[in-house]
Amino acid sequence: QVQLVESGGGSVQPGGSLELSCGATGAMFSFNAMGWYRQVPGKRLTLVARSTPTATDYAESVKGRFTLSWENGRNVVSLRMNDLKPEDTAVYCCYAGDIRGHDYWGQGIQVTVSS
């Protein structure tokens, strides 16, 4: 089975930086998308950044601050987060979608930005 293993996260001061990484194991089919979503308690899951072989999309709130890096075929995606703000505090979940249309999710890692 496919498993997404996440690393990184933690607590940082406002203006600080953090990098998340996600690696997939057990994939039998190529992924056509990988990225990160986040969720605050009481709110719905929202896009942070997502890449396909041809494009990368970012949430408006993170443009210019976050950078997604994904090399298709390696099944590894990283998210560099700069100039972090308190409103970035959330549980971040890695996402992957394969060519069959199946979606996979990591268990989620906490990012906390506070002084």
Side-chain angles (χ1 to χ4, degrees):
Q1 70 279 10
V2 174
Q3 184 177 43
L4 302 183
V5 181
E6 301 155 321
S7 62
S11 297
V12 297
Q13 300 283 348
S17 297
L18 204 60
E19 184 163 324
L20 307 179
S21 184
C22 175
T25 62
M28 299 296 294
F29 300 92
S30 298
F31 293 144
N32 60 8
M34 290 193 77
W36 291 88
Y37 291 71
R38 65 188 181 187
Q39 186 171 31
V40 177
K43 297 185 178 180
R44 69 181 184 90
L45 193 72
T46 59
L47 173 73
V48 179
R50 178 179 179 271
S51 284
T52 69
T54 58
T56 299
D57 298 320
Y58 294 91
E60 191 68 28
S61 61
V62 308
K63 286 182 178 178
R65 299 188 297 120
F66 292 10
T67 302
L68 189 72
S69 180
W70 176 48
E71 182 177 341
N72 188 229
R74 294 191 64 234
N75 295 339
V76 176
V77 65
S78 63
L79 182 70
R80 179 68 178 179
M81 304 182 291
N82 294 323
D83 191 24
L84 283 160
K85 303 176 180 182
E87 52 263 42
D88 295 317
T89 296
V91 173
Y92 286 68
C93 297
C94 181
Y95 163 83
D98 69 22
I99 59 174
R100 300 175 300 167
H102 293 178
D103 297 333
Y104 307 94
W105 295 91
Q107 68 178 28
I109 52 176
Q110 180 70 43
V111 171
T112 301
V113 185
S114 66
S115 59

